[in-house]
Amino acid sequence: MAAASGTSPTIVEYFEGEDFYRCGYCKNETGSRSNGMWAHSMTVQDYQDLIDRGWRRSGKYVYKPVMNQTCCPQYTIRCRPLHFQPSKSHKKVLKKMFKFLSKGEFSKGNNEEEPMDSQMDDAGMHDFALKSKLDIKSDQRPLSEDCHEFKESKVKEKEDLEPKETKMLNQSHAKQEKLGSGEPSSSVKVVPSTPKPGKGADLSKPPCRKAKDIRKERKRQKLILKSQTDQVQHEEKPKLNQPKSIEDFIFDTLPDKSAHQLEVRLVPVSFEDPEFKSSFCQSLSLYAKYQMAIHKDTAAECGEAEFTRFLCSSPLEAENPPNGPDCGYGSFHQQYWLDGKIIAVGVIDVLPYCVSSVYLYYDPDYAFLSLGVYSALREIAFTRELHEKTSQLSYYYMGFYIHSCPKMRYKGQYRPSDLLCPETYVWVPIEQCLPALENSKYCRFNQDTKAVDEERIKELDRLRVLYKRTIMPYNIYKKRQKGPSDEAIVQQYADLVGQTCSERMLLFRS
């Protein structure tokens, strides 16, 4: 997908070397390492290609963990929504929301299924271990009900079929009678007649048959009956066990007089958009309330400037190609309005091949609704909806999966999902990655030892540079540049973004 006409090209300013900072997961003061660049502007296709190489954005800052050196390796994870089926605990959250909206019923009990961490920057915050326990605990009852329903169905079918079995055996005897009497098969009427003494069989009685033949006939009829029963069960089984889709839960019809009304609005991140502008103050207040309650930030740490820089300032250029989704590509706030007020906001990027989750903040007073999980499920359903119009848009990116941090393993439960190999940048099903991650924090997932990064730099001279307001290839820039050579820095940048992006994006040099 080429950049749409009229949109600005990607312009980035790469920061030399590596950043060392405090890890939000293991709390190591200098253990977290990454490379970063400032994106003055960025096309959605360039960002798509970058996140497919392990990059991620926070506002306009785009960073890539140094995977083999950082204390807690962060693997890009994506879910495949087209094949997604909600787990038992996912269904529990969806049913809880429906019950709250329809009847106003809720329980403000223990919400351990949605733990928080100061650096959990994605939607769907959910602890792996606790979720596994809740899967078993919360779904014993519905599972047993399903089994009971299925058993009752089988028993009922058997009871209904027993009289049929007797009837079929009687009909068989009747057929034997008519065959013995020489009557046409279309008639089941037996006309008794008095035989002459000493001649022929008594036609008023069934013909004599060996016990062995009778047993064979009964066995044959039972086999026929069993075949018919199995066919009926086979036809009905899919109806009984057909799993409900995520849309069946989310868009289940509410009663006419429901207790609450929930509306989800997709708002472009732009101060030129009237809806975004009119809801900005309410959204900012919600963000501050969330940050102070959940992440223990001070009021100064979650003011308007911080909120704008972090969640309202995106480098992505909005694009609306005719073959794209109706909402277009770019950055959005997915606002959850409950009875006229915002209770949660999911920040997302809509890209050529995926919906990428950026952040979620919500009203802590509604934590009992498990809004982290609920919003992730809504975003998966939203991806499926966009796919109907734009077929290549078929993935949901959940940010980073961090196996070394148990609190961040919850993302692996949105399946099927894949992890990005940090060396060859191919996607590998998470089931194949987990055994290796149990033995080592850093892993190459691609089992092909001969495989390499297909986007590795082959021609550095073709890299594009923005120098003194002029766009030029790197080989020309080298001749015009004054002062010490910066080839090592440019080479590092090119290796990280790959050949294709290096030829499309503009590297700013002063």
Side-chain angles (χ1 to χ4, degrees):
M1 173 184 169
S5 59
T7 60
S8 301
T10 296
I11 303 174
V12 297
E13 193 169 354
Y14 181 70
F15 301 125
E16 179 182 356
E18 299 167 357
D19 292 329
F20 296 78
Y21 50 91
R22 184 176 184 271
C23 178
Y25 305 108
C26 70
K27 312 306 178 185
N28 186 317
E29 291 299 327
T30 58
S32 186
R33 302 185 181 188
S34 68
N35 298 105
M37 56 189 178
W38 187 262
H40 295 275
S41 63
M42 184 168 285
T43 66
V44 291
Q45 184 62 59
D46 285 338
Y47 186 55
Q48 175 72 68
D49 291 345
L50 286 175
I51 62 175
D52 283 334
R53 290 183 64 81
W55 291 83
R56 184 160 169 76
R57 78 173 185 89
S58 176
K60 288 190 173 185
Y61 181 71
V62 188
Y63 63 98
K64 184 181 189 301
V66 183
M67 296 292 284
N68 59 353
Q69 296 180 31
T70 193
C71 55
C72 296
Q74 301 161 59
Y75 300 92
T76 302
I77 183 171
R78 72 177 186 185
C79 172
R80 284 174 262 152
L82 304 188
H83 302 98
F84 176 80
Q85 281 295 333
S87 70
K88 293 175 182 178
S89 59
H90 293 156
K91 292 176 185 177
K92 180 184 176 184
V93 171
L94 295 171
K95 290 175 182 177
K96 179 167 57 176
M97 176 63 80
F98 182 81
K99 189 175 181 180
F100 173 73
L101 294 176
S102 58
K103 301 179 181 179
E105 298 177 3
F106 63 92
S107 173
K108 287 194 176 182
N110 190 358
N111 285 296
E112 287 182 334
E113 64 181 350
E114 195 176 7
M116 300 297 168
D117 184 271
S118 61
Q119 293 298 319
M120 287 189 181
D121 58 348
D122 307 294
M125 300 175 181
H126 207 48
D127 180 88
F128 178 94
L130 288 173
K131 181 179 178 183
S132 298
K133 293 177 184 176
L134 285 169
D135 275 355
I136 300 170
K137 184 177 179 181
S138 65
D139 286 282
Q140 283 177 342
R141 185 169 173 271
L143 187 62
S144 63
E145 285 176 349
D146 291 342
C147 288
H148 182 60
E149 182 182 351
F150 187 66
K151 285 178 182 176
E152 280 188 341
S153 176
K154 286 181 72 175
V155 169
K156 190 173 186 302
E157 287 171 3
K158 187 176 180 181
E159 289 172 351
D160 290 342
L161 287 165
E162 282 175 355
K164 295 179 184 177
E165 181 177 349
T166 306
K167 184 177 179 181
M168 291 176 73
L169 288 172
N170 289 338
Q171 287 178 348
S172 173
H173 288 164
K175 288 178 182 177
Q176 291 293 339
E177 290 171 356
K178 68 186 178 184
L179 289 172
S181 64
E183 293 184 4
S185 58
S186 60
S187 173
V188 294
K189 184 179 180 182
V190 178
V191 182
S193 62
T194 305
K196 295 180 180 180
K199 288 186 178 181
D202 187 350
L203 295 180
S204 65
K205 297 180 181 179
C208 295
R209 301 173 64 204
K210 292 182 180 180
K212 184 178 180 180
D213 292 336
I214 295 174
R215 288 197 300 269
K216 283 184 177 180
E217 178 63 22
R218 286 176 178 171
K219 185 176 181 180
R220 188 178 72 84
Q221 293 296 337
K222 285 183 178 180
L223 288 172
I224 293 172
L225 187 63
K226 185 177 185 301
S227 176
Q228 293 173 342
T229 304
D230 289 344
Q231 185 176 356
V232 170
Q233 290 178 354
H234 179 71
E235 290 173 355
E236 293 188 1
K237 192 172 182 180
K239 297 179 182 179
L240 292 171
N241 295 335
Q242 184 69 34
K244 292 178 70 175
S245 70
I246 189 172
E247 290 82 5
D248 291 334
F249 287 100
I250 291 174
F251 302 114
D252 198 0
T253 305
L254 290 169
D256 293 336
K257 295 183 179 180
S258 57
H260 301 284
Q261 293 294 326
L262 178 68
E263 180 186 1
V264 180
R265 302 178 188 173
L266 187 70
V267 182
V269 177
S270 170
F271 285 98
E272 296 179 2
D273 183 85
E275 198 167 359
F276 179 82
K277 195 173 180 179
S278 64
S279 61
F280 178 80
C281 290
Q282 189 178 166
S283 189
L284 168 61
S285 298
L286 178 64
Y287 169 77
K289 182 178 181 179
Y290 170 81
Q291 292 295 126
M292 289 189 284
I294 303 300
H295 299 313
K296 311 304 178 187
D297 285 0
T298 64
E301 291 174 321
C302 50
E304 182 175 343
E306 289 72 23
F307 173 64
T308 302
R309 182 174 63 249
F310 180 34
L311 298 175
C312 303
S313 180
S314 170
L316 300 185
E317 296 286 324
E319 298 180 24
N320 290 277
N323 60 342
D326 293 337
C327 63
Y329 298 114
S331 298
F332 299 86
H333 282 190
Q334 201 163 42
Q335 301 173 340
Y336 295 78
W337 290 76
L338 181 70
D339 301 333
K341 73 170 185 176
I342 303 176
I343 63 164
V345 177
V347 184
I348 60 174
D349 293 329
V350 178
L351 303 174
Y353 308 131
C354 74
V355 169
S356 175
S357 173
V358 178
Y359 198 75
L360 171 80
Y361 55 98
Y362 59 83
D363 190 334
D365 294 342
Y366 293 89
F368 61 88
L369 289 174
S370 304
L371 291 170
V373 180
Y374 182 76
S375 65
L377 296 172
R378 289 292 301 234
E379 287 168 11
I380 289 173
F382 179 57
T383 306
R384 288 158 63 115
E385 177 188 339
L386 296 183
H387 172 77
E388 293 179 4
K389 166 80 185 296
T390 310
S391 59
Q392 72 270 20
L393 203 164
S394 54
Y395 297 101
Y396 174 58
Y397 284 48
M398 298 179 281
F400 290 135
Y401 174 82
I402 306 168
H403 193 78
S404 59
C405 178
K407 286 185 178 181
M408 293 299 288
R409 294 183 184 179
Y410 70 90
K411 296 181 184 181
Q413 292 301 295
Y414 292 83
R415 297 191 180 185
S417 56
D418 310 300
L419 297 183
L420 186 67
C421 176
E423 295 182 10
T424 61
Y425 302 111
V426 297
W427 293 99
V428 181
I430 192 170
E431 295 85 355
Q432 298 178 25
C433 305
L434 295 180
L437 288 172
E438 286 295 324
N439 297 321
S440 174
K441 290 195 295 185
Y442 173 76
C443 298
R444 171 193 167 112
F445 300 135
N446 193 335
Q447 297 300 310
D448 183 357
T449 56
K450 295 181 180 180
V452 295
D453 173 15
E454 295 296 332
E455 277 288 308
R456 66 191 184 283
I457 292 296
K458 305 175 186 70
E459 298 180 70
L460 186 62
D461 285 347
R462 296 184 62 175
L463 178 145
R464 294 214 300 170
V465 175
L466 178 62
Y467 178 62
K468 292 185 177 181
R469 299 185 180 181
T470 304
I471 300 171
M472 62 189 73
Y474 181 65
N475 62 336
I476 302 297
Y477 162 76
K478 282 192 298 183
K479 296 175 183 178
R480 297 186 181 184
Q481 179 205 14
K482 296 179 181 179
S485 172
D486 60 0
E487 186 165 346
I489 300 170
V490 174
Q491 182 70 57
Q492 184 185 51
Y493 156 81
D495 289 337
L496 293 171
V497 302
Q499 185 74 48
T500 300
C501 281
S502 73
E503 293 181 21
R504 270 201 320 247
M505 295 162 49
L506 301 181
L507 175 63
F508 174 81
R509 306 308 290 166
S510 58

